[in-house]
């Protein structure tokens, strides 16, 4: 992505991560864009997300947020919502 490092306040990815050839590399690239304190939101099919998602978030430099679940009960059966942030500088 052709944007400067640490310039974006938020990144939202919806229903695309199951198309990423290298999940960790794509996650790291999105984290690169975030300002310190910036938020990352990911919503995708539950069955497609990696089992080590929390580890991959940490490797990319993101920490989980304790945010309210934006999905309704029916959607939660099929989708997973993840929120994290880049730690403040």
């Amino acid at each position: 992505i052709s944007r400067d490092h640490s310039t974006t306040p938020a990144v939202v990815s919806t229903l695309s991560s199951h198309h990423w050839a290298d999940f960790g590399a794509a996650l790291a690239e999105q984290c690169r864009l975030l300002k310190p304190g910036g938020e990352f939101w990911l919503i995708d099919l539950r069955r497609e997300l990696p089992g080590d998602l929390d580890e991959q978030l940490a490797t990319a430099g993101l920490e989980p947020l304790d945010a309210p679940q934006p999905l309704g009960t029916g959607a939660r059966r099929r989708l997973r919502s993840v929120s994290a942030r880049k730690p403040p500088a």
Side-chain angles (χ1 to χ4, degrees), residues 1-76:
I1 300 172
S2 59
R3 289 191 55 103
D4 292 333
H5 293 296
S6 303
T7 57
T8 305
V11 171
V12 178
S13 173
T14 57
L15 300 174
S16 69
S17 70
H18 60 276
H19 296 288
W20 303 344
D22 183 335
F23 188 90
L27 192 59
E29 176 64 5
Q30 292 171 81
C31 183
R32 179 190 69 80
L33 300 174
L34 285 174
K35 292 179 179 180
E39 294 188 6
F40 172 77
W41 291 81
L42 170 70
I43 299 173
D44 212 327
L45 300 169
R46 211 172 252 290
R47 70 176 185 265
E48 300 291 341
L49 291 172
D52 65 344
L53 180 58
D54 291 338
E55 290 175 37
Q56 291 205 39
L57 289 169
T59 299
L62 296 168
E63 53 189 31
L65 285 174
D66 187 22
Q69 178 58 252
L71 302 172
T73 305
R76 278 188 287 216

